[in-house]
Amino acid sequence: MLTTESPSHYTNLEKLSTRELLLGINQEDKTVPFAVEKAIPQIEKLVDAIVERMQNGGRLFYIGAGTSGRLGVVDASECPPTYGVPHGLVVGIIAGGDGAIRKSVEKAEDDFEQAWKDLQAYQINEKDALIGIAASGRTPYVIGGLQNANAHNIVTGCIVCNTGSKVAEQAKYPVEVVVGPEFVTGSTRMKSGTAQKLALNMISTSVMIRLGKVRGNKMIDMQLSNEKLVNRAVHMVMDELKIEEKEAAELLEKHGSVRKAIDAFHNI
């Protein structure tokens, strides 16, 4: 039996109180970071391979179905505002198309050929890297996408929550985060989804730092798209340059980004 399908450590859930349910879920969630920690050597190899491709003009793609696909879309969509990279540098694709982000598309994940068709719309090529996300590790949509990518010399990785899966077999850089039984048997949006989110955070954050999108510990290329982010940027400039708020705000308004404001100040 797949680990992701193994019986919950808990039973008679419908008879538990709200507090008992919450404590049980929390107890299971506590195990997830330790499972991710065991996969760090695998994640490291995948990150290094992605960075090498992206330093040479490549892009990063995610493919997945259901919760896994949605997590990839979320991670990709957060890269432009957080790190100031162009839309299209990190791309999340979900089986069934963007409509599947909100509403599941019946049998979309069972189409072995569709992922490659979806990727071809972006003219994916050997400069790029592709990560297949599938808790079970057996999603045909993801397996087919990785298989076709391998045939075109594209770096392939995966994030799965079972060992020895068909998805991992197709990935040159597999990441296997085995979190054990879910609180509700088979509900992989729970611990497995949390593990995938943590792994995605680690991958995209590490890649962006390696690509020079962070200075010190600050997101110096973030988009200033709302008042909260503008205020954060002002304080970044103040902290970095040891100047007053008014001067930092003026520099930021003039140059449009934290990086440019800091560099302009040093060039005065």
Side-chain angles (χ1 to χ4, degrees), residues 162-178:
N162 287 311
T163 57
S165 68
K166 290 184 178 180
V167 167
E169 285 178 7
Q170 292 297 329
K172 296 173 185 174
Y173 299 94
V175 174
E176 297 172 314
V177 187
V178 183

Side-chain angles (χ1 to χ4, degrees), residues 44-224:
E44 179 185 11
K45 292 177 182 177
L46 176 56
V47 167
D48 287 343
I50 293 168
V51 169
E52 182 180 354
R53 290 297 173 102
M54 295 186 79
Q55 284 176 333
N56 289 292
R59 298 163 294 171
L60 172 59
F61 290 85
Y62 300 130
I63 55 171
T67 297
S68 297
R70 293 181 189 103
L71 289 169
V73 170
V74 168
D75 193 80
S77 67
E78 290 174 347
C79 287
T82 306
Y83 299 109
V85 298
H87 290 279
L89 186 70
V90 183
V91 179
I93 300 173
I94 183 170
D98 285 355
I101 296 171
R102 292 184 178 274
K103 185 177 180 181
S104 62
V105 177
E106 188 175 356
K107 296 185 178 180
E109 69 176 64
D110 296 331
D111 191 330
F112 186 87
E113 300 295 338
Q114 188 59 47
W116 185 243
K117 294 176 184 176
D118 293 341
L119 289 162
Q120 284 182 303
Y122 293 88
Q123 297 180 313
I124 191 170
N125 59 72
E126 63 182 12
K127 290 184 177 181
D128 300 323
L130 172 66
I131 298 178
I133 312 169
S136 67
R138 58 183 181 180
T139 307
Y141 180 85
V142 175
I143 296 168
L146 292 175
Q147 190 175 95
N148 278 287
N150 285 330
H152 290 80
N153 197 32
I154 294 164
V155 163
T156 54
C158 72
I159 305 171
V160 297
C161 297
N162 287 311
T163 57
S165 68
K166 290 184 178 180
V167 167
E169 285 178 7
Q170 292 297 329
K172 296 173 185 174
Y173 299 94
V175 174
E176 297 172 314
V177 187
V178 183
V179 296
E182 297 287 359
F183 182 74
V184 176
T185 299
S187 181
T188 53
R189 74 182 188 88
M190 300 185 78
K191 289 196 301 182
S192 296
T194 300
Q196 290 172 320
K197 174 60 175 168
L198 290 176
L200 286 166
N201 283 349
M202 295 169 78
I203 292 166
S204 58
T205 301
S206 299
V207 166
M208 291 299 155
I209 292 171
R210 291 283 310 278
L211 293 177
K213 297 300 179 180
V214 171
R215 183 178 295 174
N217 57 14
K218 297 179 176 64
M219 301 176 288
I220 59 170
D221 290 322
M222 68 178 185
Q223 294 177 357
L224 309 182

